Amino acid sequence: MNAVFSNVPPSETSEAEFSKGKAVVGFVLNPYDIACELPYELAPGCSFERASPQMTETIKSALKDYVHPQSWVKPAHLYECDIVREVHENGHSWGAVARPQKDWRYHVVFNSDDNGVKNINMNLIANITDTPLQTSSLYFHYENGKPHGMGCNPGVMHNYFSLPTEMAAISIGEPELALIRDTATDFHAVFGDALTPKRHPELHRAINMFDALKQLPTKSEYQLLGLFAIIEMLITHNPKLEDRGDSITHQMQTKIPLLANRFNRKLDYASYFDNASEKRIWTALYSLRSSVAHGGETNVNRPDLRVLKDFHQAVSFVRSVVKGLLRHSLKDPQLYLDIKNC
């Protein structure tokens, strides 16, 4: 690893905390355009910040070592440019237009007095919101203001830069960061700061399983199996063979609407599917999951799947449901323990 460390804080605002004790600086892998003032406190001693020029150089050096030169997506394009679609007579291509350096998208999450657990937890927390930060993909350890090591998740990095799935930067502001902050409050109320909490280990396992899906290629059909495994783990029990009304499909048809009615935001069925009842949509979704699991046809033009319209749209919807369930489970863990047995 040839990353060059600088004895400087990641942000001008963190200098007081950075100069003493331990700190971990997690690079925000997703490129965001920020529509609010930074730094933004996500939790006590944890803030979302713009990387300083020195930290930016450290990040760029690390990315150069960990991202293959032939990767489809170039880091400099994501963080230093606007990606534009150029239409030609025979098709289209993508171009990169450089941004002013002050508008580069190198952001970090700064965790003071930290041995790495806060960074890991913040990665898990943000991952179940609309604004995943992916701070466990590349992170830097400091002690008393001096570099002390770094870490990287090569599998996530490889997946991220191998497909042009995140080319367009997303604009986020105070509402998106506030959701991370509120989720962090709920997370710490349930689990505290422990890496392996003793309370509600089944919920913590589900959150970690969701994070682990980043190891899979974005377009892999296994994504759908993983998402349904988390749903089943959270809200279903093994059905009784003598009771057809106790099937996994029936449990999902009844339990998900019951729980979703308690979400702060309603599930957006209309943006993903044709006008149909929740029961019909969940029947089709579980049928699609079964087709993946058992080697069946996954073409959504099948009569029983036509309501879904598109396979990857269906996966995106199920992912949004899993995020909603995981966030809600942090607000009422006992409800999820009880509902599994219903």
Side-chain angles (χ1 to χ4, degrees), residues 27-89:
F27 173 54
V28 177
L29 192 62
N30 284 328
Y32 292 118
D33 289 326
I34 310 302
C36 65
E37 291 294 321
L38 295 181
Y40 189 98
E41 185 179 70
L42 299 175
C46 175
S47 58
F48 182 96
E49 311 185 356
R50 189 177 303 279
S52 69
Q54 296 90 341
M55 177 54 70
T56 296
E57 290 306 311
T58 300
I59 292 167
K60 291 176 66 173
S61 178
L63 290 173
K64 188 178 296 183
D65 283 343
Y66 278 105
V67 180
H68 194 279
Q70 300 305 316
S71 291
W72 185 283
V73 181
K74 308 300 181 188
H77 290 174
L78 281 182
Y79 307 116
E80 301 175 21
C81 301
D82 287 321
I83 306 300
V84 295
R85 187 172 184 266
E86 301 171 346
V87 180
H88 308 291
E89 184 176 328

Side-chain angles (χ1 to χ4, degrees), residues 205-206 209-210 212-214 216-234 236 248 252 282 284-298 311-312 314-319 322:
R205 180 186 173 199
M209 287 174 63
F210 183 68
L213 292 179
K214 291 187 298 191
L216 293 173
T218 306
K219 298 297 184 180
S220 170
E221 291 184 345
Y222 286 109
Q223 292 277 352
L224 186 64
L225 292 183
L227 292 168
F228 266 102
I230 296 169
I231 294 175
E232 292 183 42
M233 179 180 172
L234 286 172
T236 70
I248 297 293
M252 289 192 177
W282 280 105
L285 286 170
Y286 199 75
S287 178
L288 181 62
R289 173 260 176 217
S290 297
S291 292
V292 173
H294 303 296
E297 176 58 59
T298 60
F311 180 90
H312 296 295
V315 175
S316 294
F317 174 76
V318 178
R319 182 175 290 108
V322 170

Side-chain angles (χ1 to χ4, degrees), residues 34-302:
I34 310 302
C36 65
E37 291 294 321
L38 295 181
Y40 189 98
E41 185 179 70
L42 299 175
C46 175
S47 58
F48 182 96
E49 311 185 356
R50 189 177 303 279
S52 69
Q54 296 90 341
M55 177 54 70
T56 296
E57 290 306 311
T58 300
I59 292 167
K60 291 176 66 173
S61 178
L63 290 173
K64 188 178 296 183
D65 283 343
Y66 278 105
V67 180
H68 194 279
Q70 300 305 316
S71 291
W72 185 283
V73 181
K74 308 300 181 188
H77 290 174
L78 281 182
Y79 307 116
E80 301 175 21
C81 301
D82 287 321
I83 306 300
V84 295
R85 187 172 184 266
E86 301 171 346
V87 180
H88 308 291
E89 184 176 328
N90 297 320
H92 70 271
S93 61
W94 297 97
V97 179
R99 296 166 64 91
Q101 187 169 346
K102 66 181 181 63
D103 295 328
W104 284 0
R105 302 185 182 97
Y106 294 99
H107 297 101
V108 296
V109 171
F110 172 82
N111 293 280
S112 62
D113 188 25
D114 185 39
N115 59 5
V117 174
K118 288 182 181 179
N119 183 59
I120 293 170
N121 285 342
M122 186 51 66
N123 174 72
L124 296 175
I125 291 162
N127 198 41
I128 62 174
T129 72
D130 298 332
T131 313
L133 303 178
Q134 301 200 47
T135 56
S136 66
S137 302
L138 181 63
Y139 51 94
F140 307 88
H141 291 265
Y142 288 83
E143 190 164 352
N144 298 324
K146 296 181 180 180
H148 197 254
M150 67 163 291
C152 177
N153 189 324
V156 173
M157 298 278 280
H158 174 76
N159 282 342
Y160 191 81
F161 290 102
S162 63
L163 289 173
T165 54
E166 303 289 343
M167 294 185 74
I170 299 171
S171 179
I172 64 171
E174 201 277 338
E176 291 77 16
L177 295 177
L179 180 58
I180 298 178
R181 183 194 60 211
D182 294 344
T183 305
T185 299
D186 294 336
F187 183 95
H188 290 117
V190 176
F191 302 123
D193 288 325
L195 190 59
T196 54
K198 296 179 180 179
R199 296 179 62 232
H200 303 293
E202 68 292 335
L203 297 183
H204 196 263
R205 180 186 173 199
I207 292 171
N208 274 280
M209 287 174 63
F210 183 68
D211 183 66
L213 292 179
K214 291 187 298 191
Q215 302 281 358
L216 293 173
T218 306
K219 298 297 184 180
S220 170
E221 291 184 345
Y222 286 109
Q223 292 277 352
L224 186 64
L225 292 183
L227 292 168
F228 266 102
I230 296 169
I231 294 175
E232 292 183 42
M233 179 180 172
L234 286 172
I235 69 172
T236 70
H237 56 259
N238 288 330
K240 301 173 184 176
L241 295 178
E242 68 276 11
D243 185 357
R244 295 185 64 184
D246 194 42
S247 69
I248 297 293
T249 303
H250 178 74
Q251 290 184 59
M252 289 192 177
Q253 289 171 345
T254 55
K255 293 178 181 181
I256 289 177
L258 175 69
L259 292 167
N261 285 336
R262 292 163 170 78
F263 291 179
N264 290 333
R265 293 182 295 177
K266 300 298 183 185
L267 295 181
D268 187 12
Y269 289 96
S271 294
Y272 292 91
F273 310 118
D274 289 329
N275 186 27
S277 67
E278 291 180 49
K279 180 177 180 179
R280 184 183 171 198
I281 289 171
W282 280 105
T283 299
L285 286 170
Y286 199 75
S287 178
L288 181 62
R289 173 260 176 217
S290 297
S291 292
V292 173
H294 303 296
E297 176 58 59
T298 60
N299 189 333
V300 295
N301 289 324
R302 274 172 35 189

Side-chain angles (χ1 to χ4, degrees), residues 8-15 18 39 49-52 55 108 110:
V8 294
S11 161
E12 309 303 328
T13 63
S14 303
E15 188 165 4
F18 192 84
E49 311 185 356
R50 189 177 303 279
S52 69
M55 177 54 70
V108 296
F110 172 82

